[in-house]
Amino acid sequence: MLVQRVSATRAFARTAPHVVPVLDRAVHRLTRGKVLLSARMLPGLVLTVPGARTGRPRTTPLACMPEGKLEGAWILVGSNFGRTGHPAWTANLLARPDEAVVNWRGRDIPVRATLLEGEERARVWEAALVFWPPYAAYQRRLEREIRLFRLERR
């Protein structure tokens, strides 16, 4: 798929973080939570979690991997488009795992975040690679391990 090939490039990693979230936030706000542009490629949600240092709400549109048959669990991949640092939202989830809210298909849902580790992380990582193969290219470029979180309804 062309979109996957393009999204695995370094050029995409340089430009997408400055363009995709801005467009997603604007369209999401204009449609009152009903439309998320990036969700045309991958399922997406909007995560709101207090900042790790400031405690002020931070809102970030993200691709997600829905988990299970019921709409109540999602996997988030902290790939940061294959850039070196962990995305800020991952630090916020680590600091305040019980204070997150996702907007999923126009509905706000309080969630609890769990950082996946060990065998569970390995299993979910394999599923994420099937779901979106460019994650493998992102990981190859990085020295850090990409963080994976499971969000579950509280």
Side-chain angles (χ1 to χ4, degrees), residues 3-107:
V3 172
Q4 289 181 359
R5 281 197 302 259
V6 169
S7 70
T9 66
R10 289 182 190 271
F12 183 83
R14 281 192 302 275
T15 57
H18 306 289
V19 176
V20 174
V22 172
L23 289 174
D24 268 346
R25 278 189 202 98
V27 171
H28 191 259
R29 193 175 0 201
L30 289 170
T31 63
R32 295 187 176 109
K34 292 182 176 73
V35 177
L36 196 59
L37 281 181
S38 61
R40 302 294 181 226
M41 291 186 300
L42 285 170
L45 53 76
V46 177
L47 172 70
T48 301
V49 63
R53 290 189 306 249
T54 67
R56 289 193 312 237
R58 302 297 183 194
T59 299
T60 310
L62 297 167
C64 67
M65 188 171 77
E67 193 175 52
K69 293 179 181 166
L70 299 175
E71 291 183 348
W74 301 266
I75 298 297
L76 298 182
V77 180
S79 68
N80 204 12
F81 297 96
R83 299 179 334 162
T84 39
H86 290 290
W89 62 263
T90 67
N92 297 341
L93 283 179
L94 288 171
R96 301 171 187 268
D98 294 324
E99 298 178 46
V101 174
V102 297
N103 184 279
W104 173 253
R105 298 181 177 166
R107 290 179 293 141

Side-chain angles (χ1 to χ4, degrees), residues 118-135:
E119 289 179 23
E120 184 177 25
R121 185 204 178 278
R123 181 182 52 74
V124 172
W125 178 250
E126 290 305 315
L129 294 179
V130 170
F131 181 73
W132 190 246
Y135 288 141

